[in-house]
Amino acid sequence: MRNLIFTMFLLISQAVFASEWENIADVNFINDCVENGGELFFATSGGIVEFDPYSRNWRVFTNIDGVAGLDVNCVALSPSGELWYGSSNGALGYLSGNSFINFPDFRFSGIGINDICPSGNVFWLATSKGISLFRRMSDFQVGEIAGNFWGLGELPRESPVFSVTLFDGRIWGGGEDIVVAADTSYETVNLSAPDNWESFGISGQVNRFFAWDGTLFAGTSNGVYRLEDTVFSLVGLERDDVFDLFVRADSLYAATAWGLYRSVDGEDWRRLSSAPKKAHCGVVLADTAWVGYHRGYGFITDEEVVRYIFPSPCGYGFSGVYISGDDIYLAAKPYGASYRKNGEWVSLTTYNPMPDGEDVPVGSRIISSWAILPDRNGAIWIGTWGQGLLVMYPDDIQWSVFADSTGPVSTARGVGANYEVIPELGEDSEGNIWAFVFDPANDTAIVVWNHSALDSFPYSEPDSSNAYFFTRNELSSANFQSFLFDSGKLWLGYIDGGLDCLDYGGTLSDRSDDVLTHFSTDDGLPSNMVNDLALDKDGRLWIATDQGLCYYDPSYGFIQQVALPNDLSLNVLAVAIDRWDDKWVGTSDGACVIFADNISTQTIRSSFSLTGDVDEHSGLISDYVSGIHINDDHGIVTFITDRGLSSLLIAETSADEISLLVYPNPFVIEYDSPSELTVSGVPLDAEVFIYTSSGELVHYFPKWTVGFDTKVHWDGRNGSGELVASGIYIVVARGDSSTGKAKFAIVR
């Protein structure tokens, strides 16, 4: 268990039982890097990566470790050697041991941090509103904002500043088409007055300042500029986006959108022909320059350029997820698709960077993938937004593209030719593959490949001999948002058309018995936007909409709306049900679990959420939960969010699962009378853990505390001796060959 230090109101901290949560995010989009003690730290869009360049060992710091904003823009070393970071959401903090201490001031104000320039115990920050000065108290884990300077010379007030540096006794800030500078004597000079800042014209956004050979350089979105007397002059790489500048072996290097360039005089630039494009940052360690890219990292020795990628998924904003055991398949709206199989991640984006630094094309270009599905034969189906339906076969070389303005997989209505949209894919119990075509111009809304036709690679184009078709006229809409197979029935949720139940009787070849039933707000739906569907043990259909959660009970034929915790958003994006019949719900502002009694609930939020109570905080990577997957065999709930995946271990299962008896239940705690909870049926070799329903460890019983009567007794206090709050709790007993789990309630 990791404990982040809780210091006054300036620090955010949360004790997290780290082994119960696992977060996975894309760490190959690298924004910044710094060297510290022979190791490299990369600021990425998925957290901070600590990398040993000699052993190639690496680890990722996420919110579980205290990183309060995973989209990390910058990293820097303080004069005392502390690693500091800043994120786009305003997170600011430093590494202490194996976790980060955070200062929430900027995050609470919604001010993003773009760059950090340490100077003693003060830090100059380039922010989304100007330049700020943060002062650290050296003997305490506290700090304060010494000044927010949002009127900077000729820069429009509260404009973003992207880079900041100290040079020639002045503080320099770079914005859009302008550089500003002022005296650093902030205690005697009023830096809040625009007139105390000198302005310099420049072309493009200033991405990075760098001092070399006594001269200040600026890397911009329009090339490299150099300060000459009182003006910045363009000295090369015009119209190239220069993200960083660094020095190696008496040469100045520029990391740019077109790759790496080298100059011996700061004027004449030569491109390293073997360097990949989209280089974002660089740092030198023992005469080797390490470079962070738009996708991956690499190094330079002499003229040799080598590139690698960290094993992580590609992109974020995941729209399609398929999980089977330890294998994960992800479709990311802006970045294509990727999958993890046998512990290794493979990217299916436009290009796969290879160890020799080359970019090897893979199949058709995947720009916006929305659905992904591996079939029983090992082929991977990918539905895209605008590029049709793609199938990658197991050899990773041959692809099929099912997209045709006149064929069954048709272009979308009103957007011109060659723009086919496939937002959903599914495989039914027979092995048939279903492709849902969004708003098709030819009215063929669903294409179903017969499983018997999927017998050899490549698969055949769908026609009447190997596929079945449903037209728009047979459904209420073709604006698909969700679907669910249900014993010969197909439930369809639409973006704006409510809910359909297509009962095809399990016979795709016989359409004469098909029955369509439609549900809308007129029938009790909270909204006609249906985001997700799930079936519980009683056969009730749970329906997630953008205006709340409800269920349809076929036994009584009515729709019942379900109350969510008061502080949770009504924009319900996902719903899933575990084997205990608990309902896991994802919204645009956190998640919750509705327990099997359909009354008790527990909200789950990220440990650094700005809303909600502290007891709701968990290892959740983001509060925007767009999907939920439950692996009952392993007792794992996976939350799909806009920043990555978060997996919560709710119960370990085994071949020998035992039942625990918990009493009294509910456990009523009263201050004036001693009370005790008993857990019975515990194996003698078991450890016992008591958690909140959001996964936070409350109390731990080692093996030796289990009595020969197979019981443990608990007084309702946590490890600090404090009585816990009312709510739903989970007890887990883990032995060498058996596992047990039970739920109980506490009433205070």
Side-chain angles (χ1 to χ4, degrees):
M1 180 171 62
R2 295 188 176 96
N3 291 291
L4 308 187
I5 301 172
F6 196 70
T7 307
M8 300 179 65
F9 67 94
L10 290 173
L11 301 181
I12 295 179
S13 64
Q14 178 64 35
V16 177
F17 188 54
S19 64
E20 296 302 307
W21 283 93
E22 178 189 12
N23 286 336
I24 300 174
D26 185 358
V27 295
N28 280 299
F29 192 102
I30 298 175
N31 297 308
D32 196 10
C33 55
V34 69
E35 181 267 332
N36 186 19
E39 293 194 326
L40 302 177
F41 289 85
F42 293 108
T44 83
S45 62
I48 298 173
V49 177
E50 179 184 10
F51 176 69
D52 186 334
Y54 303 104
S55 66
R56 300 290 172 87
N57 293 327
W58 63 290
R59 65 165 294 184
V60 181
F61 293 95
T62 69
N63 62 313
I64 292 176
D65 311 290
V67 179
L70 293 191
D71 188 15
V72 184
N73 286 331
C74 51
V75 285
L77 289 182
S78 70
S80 61
E82 291 173 334
L83 176 76
W84 284 70
Y85 82 100
S87 295
S88 61
N89 71 340
L92 174 70
Y94 67 93
L95 182 62
S96 176
N98 288 317
S99 60
F100 281 82
I101 302 298
N102 293 280
F103 303 90
D105 307 69
F106 295 99
R107 204 160 61 89
F108 285 158
S109 302
I111 301 173
I113 298 174
N114 297 318
D115 196 15
I116 302 175
C117 180
S119 177
N121 283 328
V122 299
F123 298 81
W124 296 92
L125 307 176
T127 78
S128 58
K129 288 189 175 182
I131 293 177
S132 293
L133 186 63
F134 183 81
R135 181 164 47 206
R136 162 86 183 280
M137 297 181 183
S138 58
D139 296 331
F140 303 96
Q141 293 168 340
V142 294
E144 64 177 0
I145 297 176
N148 288 318
F149 313 122
W150 296 347
L152 308 173
E154 298 175 9
L155 187 68
R157 183 172 176 80
E158 297 190 18
S159 294
V161 174
F162 304 100
S163 183
V164 65
T165 193
L166 293 169
F167 177 76
D168 196 26
R170 307 178 83 189
I171 180 68
W172 299 75
E176 186 74 38
D177 297 324
I178 195 170
V179 171
V180 295
D183 193 293
T184 58
S185 301
Y186 61 92
E187 294 178 338
T188 58
V189 177
N190 181 15
L191 296 185
S192 297
D195 291 344
N196 287 329
W197 292 83
E198 185 178 0
S199 301
F200 303 81
I202 203 167
S203 178
Q205 174 181 303
V206 180
N207 297 317
R208 183 76 71 185
F209 289 113
F210 188 77
W212 181 52
D213 198 22
T215 303
L216 184 64
F217 288 80
T220 79
S221 58
N222 186 46
V224 178
Y225 285 76
R226 181 171 60 195
L227 179 63
E228 298 175 347
D229 295 328
T230 59
V231 298
F232 278 89
S233 301
L234 181 67
V235 291
L237 305 182
E238 185 176 7
R239 292 186 293 276
D240 197 352
D241 208 346
V242 180
F243 297 106
D244 197 12
L245 297 162
F246 59 94
V247 170
R248 175 186 170 271
D250 298 325
S251 294
L252 183 63
Y253 286 79
T256 83
W258 288 96
L260 286 172
Y261 289 82
R262 182 169 69 91
S263 173
V264 295
D265 58 7
E267 294 185 5
D268 296 322
W269 296 87
R270 182 173 64 85
R271 185 177 185 273
L272 278 63
S273 58
S274 60
K277 297 178 181 179
K278 297 184 178 179
H280 285 178
C281 57
V283 65
V284 176
L285 175 61
D287 201 38
T288 298
W290 291 85
V291 182
Y293 291 97
H294 180 85
R295 183 79 187 146
Y297 68 98
F299 63 85
I300 309 168
T301 56
D302 296 327
E303 294 302 305
E304 180 187 11
V305 178
V306 179
R307 184 181 179 188
Y308 297 98
I309 59 172
F310 290 113
S312 75
C314 181
Y316 51 88
F318 299 120
S319 51
V321 178
Y322 182 93
I323 301 177
S324 177
D326 293 329
D327 297 339
I328 302 175
Y329 297 79
L330 297 172
K333 294 176 183 177
Y335 292 105
S338 55
Y339 66 90
R340 184 182 73 180
K341 194 171 184 64
N342 299 323
E344 297 292 330
W345 281 99
V346 176
S347 172
L348 303 179
T349 52
T350 305
Y351 296 101
N352 262 336
M354 304 303 287
D356 60 3
E358 296 297 320
D359 284 336
V360 179
V362 179
S364 297
R365 295 178 67 239
I366 306 173
I367 295 176
S368 185
S369 57
W370 279 59
I372 189 166
L373 176 70
D375 68 18
R376 301 180 184 189
N377 302 321
I380 300 175
W381 299 65
I382 301 172
T384 75
W385 196 275
Q387 294 170 289
L389 176 61
L390 313 178
V391 183
M392 187 194 79
Y393 301 107
D395 57 14
D396 288 356
I397 298 174
Q398 188 178 28
W399 288 68
S400 287
V401 183
F402 299 118
D404 192 332
S405 59
T406 59
V409 182
S410 167
T411 189
R413 191 185 301 270
V415 295
N418 303 319
Y419 197 90
E420 301 82 11
V421 177
I422 314 295
E424 298 284 352
L425 292 167
E427 182 178 25
D428 63 23
S429 60
E430 300 295 324
N432 305 311
I433 301 295
W434 296 62
F436 300 87
V437 186
F438 188 88
D439 197 18
N442 70 352
D443 288 338
T444 301
I446 303 176
V447 181
V448 186
W449 272 260
N450 191 318
H451 67 91
S452 62
L454 305 175
D455 56 356
S456 62
F457 302 137
Y459 295 149
S460 301
E461 290 278 349
D463 57 34
S464 58
S465 67
N466 61 19
Y468 310 100
F469 308 98
F470 294 88
T471 68
R472 178 199 301 268
N473 296 331
E474 297 175 87
L475 308 170
S476 297
S477 175
N479 297 339
F480 301 106
Q481 181 83 342
S482 56
F483 73 94
L484 179 70
F485 296 118
D486 177 20
S487 303
K489 296 192 293 289
L490 176 67
W491 293 93
L492 292 167
Y494 302 108
I495 288 178
D496 54 5
L499 176 69
D500 273 351
C501 177
L502 176 62
D503 188 346
Y504 59 92
T507 56
L508 288 169
S509 58
D510 181 7
R511 306 294 292 280
S512 62
D513 59 352
D514 291 4
V515 176
L516 183 75
T517 305
H518 181 64
F519 302 87
S520 70
T521 53
D522 294 337
D523 303 292
L525 284 178
S527 166
N528 285 328
M529 176 180 281
V530 177
N531 294 319
D532 201 12
L533 302 164
L535 283 171
D536 68 15
K537 289 186 175 182
D538 296 323
R540 292 179 295 189
L541 179 74
W542 289 72
I543 307 163
T545 82
D546 67 333
Q547 293 298 316
L549 180 69
C550 64
Y551 64 81
Y552 170 69
D553 191 331
S555 300
Y556 299 97
F558 68 87
I559 293 175
Q560 176 67 49
Q561 297 198 26
V562 177
L564 296 176
N566 292 333
D567 59 347
L568 207 60
S569 170
L570 289 178
N571 185 16
V572 182
L573 304 173
V575 59
I577 301 173
D578 64 25
R579 62 193 176 110
W580 295 283
D581 217 27
D582 298 332
K583 290 79 182 176
W584 297 80
V585 182
T587 79
S588 58
D589 185 33
C592 75
V593 56
I594 302 173
F595 293 99
D597 60 8
N598 292 332
I599 299 175
S600 307
T601 64
Q602 174 66 48
T603 303
I604 304 170
R605 281 195 169 91
S606 170
S607 55
F608 293 98
S609 170
L610 296 179
T611 61
D613 297 328
V614 173
D615 61 359
E616 297 173 355
H617 291 173
S618 69
L620 192 63
I621 201 169
S622 168
D623 285 336
Y624 191 92
V625 180
S626 58
I628 298 176
H629 177 274
I630 296 177
N631 185 331
D632 280 327
D633 292 336
H634 292 79
I636 295 174
V637 178
T638 300
F639 302 88
I640 298 92
T641 82
D642 60 339
R643 300 306 313 176
L645 305 183
S646 291
S647 294
L648 170 64
L649 178 63
I650 56 174
E652 292 183 356
T653 59
S654 65
D656 186 11
E657 185 165 344
I658 51 117
S659 296
L660 299 177
L661 177 62
V662 182
Y663 57 90
N665 189 5
F667 176 31
V668 179
I669 300 177
E670 297 178 350
Y671 288 103
D672 55 354
S673 65
S675 54
E676 188 175 74
L677 180 83
T678 300
V679 182
S680 180
V682 180
L684 293 177
D685 64 349
E687 301 171 288
V688 178
F689 305 83
I690 296 177
Y691 304 100
T692 67
S693 57
S694 61
E696 181 185 353
L697 181 66
V698 174
H699 199 84
Y700 167 66
F701 297 89
K703 292 181 179 180
W704 56 268
T705 58
V706 180
F708 287 104
D709 58 356
T710 69
K711 297 177 181 177
V712 295
H713 305 280
W714 182 46
D715 61 2
R717 298 180 183 274
N718 59 23
S720 300
E722 300 169 340
L723 290 172
V724 301
S726 298
I728 301 297
Y729 290 79
I730 300 170
V731 57
V732 178
R734 297 174 187 154
D736 295 336
S737 60
S738 58
T739 300
K741 174 195 172 189
K743 291 181 297 186
F744 62 94
I746 288 181
V747 177
R748 290 280 302 275

